[in-house]
Amino acid sequence: MIGRPLVLTYLYLLLYIFLSSGVILYNKWVLSPKYFNFPYPITLTMIHMGFSGLVAFILVRVLKVVAPVKMTFEIYATCVIPISAFFASSLWFGNTAYLHISVAFIQMLKALMPVATFVMAVICGTDKLKCDVFTNMLLISVGVVISSYGEIHFNVVGTLYQVTGIFAEALRLVLTQVLLQKKGLTLNPVTSLYYIAPCSFVFLFIPWYLLEQPEMEVSQIRFNFWIFFSNALSALALNFSIFLVIGRTGAVTIRVAGVLKDWILIALSTVIFPESTITGLNIIGYAIALVGVVMYNYLKVREGRGLQLPSESVVDRTAKDWKLDKKSSDLYIPNSVKDDGGGGNESASDPKVDEEAPLIPSSRTLSHIGRSQVTSHTA
């Protein structure tokens, strides 16, 4: 007979896959000129950040469900501010990509997340260049290039936005490890949003004022309270679902769920958005990239198990797996609140972060399941 804990674990995994896919598709629908027609990605991301920050404030300061960490001005200025800046950038660029390229192609490009994170980790000195890892990175890159070549509606601007967002997120992950971990500061999903979401909102205000605010003044804006409220709520729910999944499963399960989510999302996007056409070359290229991702995940999991002692308890192993997954060289934390506008776990540098849930380490980061908003991103 299947035990209750196992049933709950599968339910949490299904909830994560449903919410992560839903947030990305919802963001695309809201931003796309062909559907809801709200082509203001920075504004959408700010809505996610503001909503997430407000909810986090209520939970921490009003309801006192979660206790705030010991945050000094020095830590906030040297750690939280730079991390928030790159977090805001990743959500901004990631959400803007929805205006130019399809959801399916965006998911394929996200296979580059482990490559970007590894490159940034090597540059920042938190990881070393290894032959086996370099081979995996090369394989992933070749697969993405082939997939891009097979894209019928290839758009240079959209691709540049997405790739820039990926590298901004990778740098955020590495900075999280370098800055916060060295100071011994650990943030859970709620405290991550509490400190980072408001700061990200402020950073987004500058490009919003210069780029979107003038256009919004002269255009006919469709602002539906329930559409934006439900969108931001979905992104926030995604962040917490990621937290539930991480608490009940190991690294391997999360990585597998991430890969499964990507394939489901690509398939759904072609049904919901008929203009998103997938070619055979797209599939071949993405499959090659996934082979590299799977090989990379295998090396990381094997490395993690090699560090474990036989006497460790299941809880200890799960905790260690979680820490290992957050290494800057790993492949999906708390977004916003991203694919995304924003929404990830700030504790480490999971290379495959879910843009939809920007601040919590998402399973995508682990297996590269993920964008934004709080995404973006939240996704």
Side-chain angles (χ1 to χ4, degrees), residues 5-6 9-10 12-13 16 242-259 297 300-302 304-305 308 313-326 330-332 350 361-367 369:
L6 184 60
T9 298
Y10 281 114
Y12 288 154
L13 284 170
Y16 161 74
I242 292 170
F243 178 69
L244 291 174
V245 169
I246 290 172
R248 300 191 65 90
T249 64
V252 177
T253 303
I254 293 175
R255 293 171 188 272
V256 172
V259 174
N297 287 338
K300 282 298 170 184
V301 171
R302 187 178 63 177
R305 287 176 177 173
Q308 293 173 347
S313 67
V314 174
V315 175
D316 292 334
R317 293 183 180 180
T318 301
K320 184 167 288 186
D321 254 345
W322 173 226
K323 291 179 181 179
L324 288 169
D325 281 335
K326 290 180 174 185
D330 264 350
L331 269 167
Y332 174 93
D350 273 296
S362 119
S363 9
R364 171 176 250 318
T365 303
L366 304 179
S367 68
I369 42 184

Side-chain angles (χ1 to χ4, degrees), residues 100-111:
H100 306 280
I101 54 181
S102 68
V103 171
F105 187 46
I106 285 176
Q107 293 306 119
M108 294 177 188
L109 289 175
K110 283 181 181 179

